[in-house]
Amino acid sequence: MKKTLLLFVAMVTGMAANAQYENAKQVFSSPKLQEAVKTHKLVAILPFEVKMTYKKQPRDFDIETNREKEREKAYSIQSSIYTFLLRKASKYTVEFQDVEKTNVLLKKAGMTDKLGEFTKDEIAKALNVDAVIAGKFEAEQSKSEAGAIVTTVLFGGAGSKTGSGALTMMVNDGPTGDLLWRFYKSMNDDVFSSSDELIDRMMRKVSRNFPYTR
């Protein structure tokens, strides 16, 4: 009986902690935001900065392979955000530059894979846009999917997450490079899933605060 009670407490505590973590978010809006967005007509979405780590490094871990996965994820997130915004284009006050055009212009400007070496106003000038959306995705895989399945069977879902992570999305003014808006969202449970799923989860939270929503 005592073991059963302890197991129940552990399950409830685990689920509460996961829910609290999943709901953690922060939103920053600059005092300049409202005036600045009135002047924006075209916005570019940049490839996201991605960092993928492992609580317990896999035996077959290869640093170059992991870097390539991060790079692929960076462009996958960029594409997913563009697709999400395009589907709901009528709800926004601006147009979003096609990401393929964005990436071609970044390459011509010598900025590909070196975005951190340029200011946001320099990037916006190279892309000929009024603002840029940039961001960061950090994820740590804590257990394998097989391990998560076993935990789910044993504990009914408590502690069954495969990883944890955080996604940050920012809007910077083109002419000045100033940060106008920042959204931070922590996540758990299968953060290594598809980019479309990740962005859908984030954008559902962003929608009420997104500066370009009509």
Side-chain angles (χ1 to χ4, degrees):
M1 180 66 181
K2 186 178 291 186
K3 288 183 178 180
T4 303
L5 180 60
L6 289 174
L7 179 60
F8 175 75
V9 172
M11 288 173 60
V12 173
T13 302
M15 287 186 287
N18 285 348
Q20 183 178 12
Y21 186 78
E22 178 70 19
N23 290 328
K25 68 177 182 178
Q26 300 172 2
V27 182
F28 163 78
S29 295
S30 166
K32 304 176 184 178
L33 176 65
Q34 295 302 321
E35 287 302 315
V37 297
K38 291 178 182 178
T39 66
H40 295 172
K41 295 181 179 179
L42 183 63
V43 178
I45 304 162
L46 306 181
F48 271 41
E49 179 184 346
V50 174
K51 185 68 174 177
M52 299 171 69
T53 58
Y54 302 83
K55 192 170 186 178
K56 184 178 180 181
Q57 202 170 87
R59 292 181 181 179
D60 60 347
F61 178 81
D62 179 76
I63 189 168
E64 290 303 324
T65 300
N66 196 64
R67 283 175 180 168
E68 183 58 29
K69 286 181 180 179
E70 291 174 340
R71 189 174 186 277
E72 289 175 358
K73 196 73 169 178
Y75 287 96
S76 180
I77 290 175
Q78 176 197 30
S79 178
S80 293
I81 291 177
Y82 177 63
T83 300
F84 183 96
L85 295 174
L86 207 59
R87 291 202 314 259
K88 302 176 184 295
S90 61
K91 294 184 177 182
Y92 305 118
T93 58
V94 296
E95 292 185 6
F96 299 96
Q97 188 176 72
D98 186 285
V99 291
E100 290 188 9
K101 180 176 181 178
T102 296
N103 294 337
V104 168
L105 292 175
L106 289 175
K107 186 175 182 178
K108 286 183 177 180
M111 295 179 172
T112 302
D113 298 329
K114 297 192 297 183
L115 292 175
E117 299 177 17
F118 297 91
T119 61
K120 293 298 189 293
D121 51 308
E122 289 175 330
I123 296 172
K125 185 176 180 180
L127 298 176
N128 194 29
V129 294
D130 303 306
V132 293
I133 293 174
K136 179 187 295 186
F137 174 64
E138 299 175 289
E140 180 186 70
Q141 185 166 342
S142 56
K143 68 176 67 174
S144 66
E145 290 185 6
I149 292 171
V150 171
T151 306
T152 300
V153 172
L154 293 175
F155 300 103
S160 63
K161 67 188 178 104
T162 58
S164 60
L167 209 159
T168 304
M169 184 175 180
M170 298 167 288
V171 174
N172 287 76
D173 185 48
T176 64
D178 291 344
L179 176 64
L180 297 176
W181 181 84
R182 179 182 183 274
F183 181 92
Y184 169 89
K185 178 78 174 69
S186 58
M187 295 175 288
N188 57 30
D189 190 18
D190 199 20
V191 294
F192 281 66
S193 61
S194 77
S195 297
D196 286 342
E197 292 172 342
L198 283 171
I199 297 308
D200 278 346
R201 287 167 62 185
M202 185 189 76
M203 293 304 291
R204 283 199 298 269
K205 302 292 184 182
V206 166
S207 58
R208 295 181 181 180
N209 307 102
F210 194 53
Y212 298 118
T213 302
R214 290 186 186 278

